[in-house]
Amino acid sequence: MSSTSHCPSCGRYVGPHAACPYCGARMGRRTSMRLVKLTVVLLATVGLVSLWTVAIHTEIPTVTIGQVGATMNLAYVRVMGHCSRSPSYDPRSGTLSFWIADDSGEIRVSSYGAKTRALMEERRVPALGDEVAVAGTLRVAEDFGALTVDVPEHLTISRADPVDRAIGRIDLADQFERVRVRGEVREVREPYQGLMLITLRDASGAIDVALSEDLVALSGVTPTITVGDPVEVVAAISRYGDTPQLVP
């Protein structure tokens, strides 16, 4: 028999023995199982290192939001645009969500748990109007696409310097522009739970500043505002129906 588990002299099964227990014949040179196991582990390690090296040096494909479709579900891609809606944040679940838009469409971007904490610690949370480049995993349903941030460092933000502006010179054509205004608080109201509207007036006109509970939770600061206070606000110009408003 040719099997290395059988004695070449008497033909009996000898298993792992180096010498035949029946006739005493020496078995031929046999590969150690320990050596085989070490070789398998070494090859597997080399394979994983090679895959990791290829992965980190492979360029992430950049797509327009309008290109996102069902065939791209679970793809890892990069999209770029401006933050088109103010971030929402749930401190209990650690969920952060915002929307970015380009000329082809709009998509929701979300992070969870430790990823959200890292984004907040590294000040990588976008504000309305910010230019955003973000890479993540696409989740695409029939009529809805979303992107999940897996690596906080794959989200970058470009924020414009604010431009001093008189309130009366702000209109809807300035949407998403970042401005600095100064005025006096004329009214503070809460149209519904989670949103405070502060009416600010200067010599040229009046405008509402929208302060959401999400912004308060993200900043960790609860402002104390009373009628008559002189204030300075740095904010993006937003749209509420046919009326401009400011979002800090």
Side-chain angles (χ1 to χ4, degrees), residues 46-121:
V46 170
L48 289 173
V49 170
S50 298
L51 287 173
W52 177 79
T53 302
V54 170
I56 63 173
H57 288 93
T58 299
E59 185 176 353
I60 302 169
T62 300
V63 301
T64 63
I65 296 172
Q67 290 177 307
V68 174
T71 58
M72 301 178 69
N73 189 40
L74 300 182
Y76 198 87
V77 301
R78 176 182 286 106
V79 295
M80 296 185 292
H82 64 269
C83 182
S84 55
R85 309 189 199 183
S86 295
S88 62
Y89 172 60
D90 183 351
R92 291 170 297 181
S93 65
T95 300
L96 171 70
S97 294
F98 56 92
W99 292 75
I100 64 173
D102 62 13
D103 292 337
S104 65
E106 188 181 40
I107 192 170
R108 189 182 72 186
V109 180
S110 299
S111 65
Y112 305 94
K115 307 298 189 306
T116 296
R117 290 193 294 274
L119 290 173
M120 294 175 65
E121 290 170 359

Side-chain angles (χ1 to χ4, degrees), residues 183-189 196 198-200 223-231:
E184 181 181 287
V185 176
R186 301 301 297 270
E187 184 181 10
V188 179
R189 63 191 188 279
M196 180 188 296
I198 303 162
T199 302
L200 192 64
T224 302
I225 303 292
T226 57
V227 174
D229 285 346
V231 298

Side-chain angles (χ1 to χ4, degrees), residues 22-242:
Y22 304 105
C23 68
R26 297 288 299 176
M27 300 295 294
R29 185 177 180 85
R30 309 175 72 184
T31 303
S32 166
M33 287 302 296
R34 183 178 182 183
L35 178 60
V36 171
K37 292 178 180 178
L38 288 174
T39 302
V40 169
V41 171
L42 178 61
L43 290 174
T45 302
V46 170
L48 289 173
V49 170
S50 298
L51 287 173
W52 177 79
T53 302
V54 170
I56 63 173
H57 288 93
T58 299
E59 185 176 353
I60 302 169
T62 300
V63 301
T64 63
I65 296 172
Q67 290 177 307
V68 174
T71 58
M72 301 178 69
N73 189 40
L74 300 182
Y76 198 87
V77 301
R78 176 182 286 106
V79 295
M80 296 185 292
H82 64 269
C83 182
S84 55
R85 309 189 199 183
S86 295
S88 62
Y89 172 60
D90 183 351
R92 291 170 297 181
S93 65
T95 300
L96 171 70
S97 294
F98 56 92
W99 292 75
I100 64 173
D102 62 13
D103 292 337
S104 65
E106 188 181 40
I107 192 170
R108 189 182 72 186
V109 180
S110 299
S111 65
Y112 305 94
K115 307 298 189 306
T116 296
R117 290 193 294 274
L119 290 173
M120 294 175 65
E121 290 170 359
E122 297 170 13
R123 302 181 67 83
R124 292 178 184 266
V125 179
L128 186 69
D130 286 352
E131 293 296 322
V132 179
V134 57
T137 303
L138 285 173
R139 311 288 181 183
V140 185
E142 291 183 2
D143 57 352
F144 181 78
L147 186 141
T148 300
V149 178
D150 301 306
V151 180
E153 289 74 18
H154 286 178
L155 189 155
T156 58
I157 299 168
S158 176
R159 182 169 297 162
D161 292 330
V163 177
D164 288 335
R165 184 72 58 84
I167 291 175
R169 292 182 53 219
I170 295 173
D171 59 37
L172 294 177
D174 301 319
Q175 188 174 13
F176 302 126
E177 185 175 344
R178 195 159 177 254
V179 297
R180 179 188 288 107
V181 300
R182 300 174 181 86
E184 181 181 287
V185 176
R186 301 301 297 270
E187 184 181 10
V188 179
R189 63 191 188 279
E190 189 173 357
Y192 56 84
Q193 185 175 358
L195 178 66
M196 180 188 296
L197 292 179
I198 303 162
T199 302
L200 192 64
R201 176 177 287 279
D202 66 6
S204 65
I207 195 169
D208 281 341
V209 179
L211 188 63
S212 69
E213 64 180 359
D214 293 302
L215 178 60
V216 171
L218 282 167
S219 67
V221 177
T222 303
T224 302
I225 303 292
T226 57
V227 174
D229 285 346
V231 298
E232 176 181 283
V233 178
V234 174
I237 299 171
S238 181
R239 182 188 197 111
Y240 180 72
D242 296 327

